[in-house]
Amino acid sequence: MSKDLVRARSNELLKRVGLPIEGNLYPHQLSGGMKQRVNLARALAPDPKVLLMDEPFAALDAQTREAQQSHLLSVWRQDRKTVLFITHDLDEAVFLSDRVVVLGRGGIGIIHIEPIDLPRPRDLRSKSVPVFRESVDQLRDLVTGARA
């Protein structure tokens, strides 16, 4: 790709993930949330069919984490890419997913696949509807062994 094409694609991706198009900041000048959005833009750059995200928001505070979840849903609405999102946070799993795959201890073997019936489009208010809470509670019971 030409330098101009690379710059145009980079600016498009930065804009898509909600970052200002400014190339004059160094990584140490970015907040945790901005760094995660840069990582998302970087992952989208080669236009993959499947986007693999392994605990991308784990190190963020609760407010920034929810903002990043919303950014991810916004990007998903635009691109409709398959996202394989790994998380230990049940609320996050239900909020972002169409189905949650629960793995056995040590990540060995699938022990359950839970379809998520939470309507789309979703926003943070979706976390307060009964079907959201029911899905989270059912998954919590499953992973803690309270129900078979």
Side-chain angles (χ1 to χ4, degrees):
M1 291 175 112
S2 72
K3 195 173 189 177
D4 290 339
L5 216 58
V6 168
R7 184 175 306 279
R9 175 80 171 138
S10 298
N11 288 343
E12 171 200 336
L13 289 168
L14 290 173
K15 191 172 169 183
R16 191 179 311 166
V17 299
L19 286 172
I21 302 171
E22 300 172 359
N24 57 358
L25 294 177
Y26 290 97
H28 72 275
Q29 295 173 305
L30 300 175
S31 69
M34 291 173 84
K35 288 177 184 176
Q36 289 306 321
R37 284 184 273 168
V38 168
N39 285 335
L40 178 57
R42 185 181 303 135
L44 291 168
D47 195 25
K49 291 182 185 209
V50 177
L51 188 60
L52 175 60
M53 302 184 79
D54 188 358
E55 298 271 1
F57 309 143
L60 302 176
D61 63 82
Q63 185 177 4
T64 304
R65 185 181 193 124
E66 283 191 332
Q68 296 315 304
Q69 291 168 355
S70 294
H71 281 295
L72 178 59
L73 287 178
S74 174
V75 169
W76 178 84
R77 274 191 299 275
Q78 292 173 19
D79 294 350
R80 299 293 178 152
K81 295 202 178 291
T82 297
V83 179
L84 178 58
F85 193 96
I86 299 167
T87 183
H88 288 88
D89 185 309
L90 297 176
D91 283 25
E92 184 171 70
V94 170
F95 180 60
L96 296 174
S97 303
D98 291 320
R99 70 178 160 249
V100 174
V101 177
V102 179
L103 301 178
R105 294 205 184 272
I108 300 174
I110 295 172
I111 61 171
H112 182 74
I113 299 175
E114 179 71 25
I116 304 301
D117 295 325
L118 194 61
R120 289 192 185 270
R122 296 176 190 165
D123 61 25
L124 292 174
R125 291 176 298 219
S126 301
K127 292 183 176 186
S128 64
V129 300
V131 70
F132 176 84
R133 263 308 19 112
E134 290 164 10
S135 294
V136 170
D137 290 345
Q138 183 172 348
L139 287 167
R140 183 166 289 112
D141 288 347
L142 178 71
V143 299
T144 61
R147 264 194 245 173

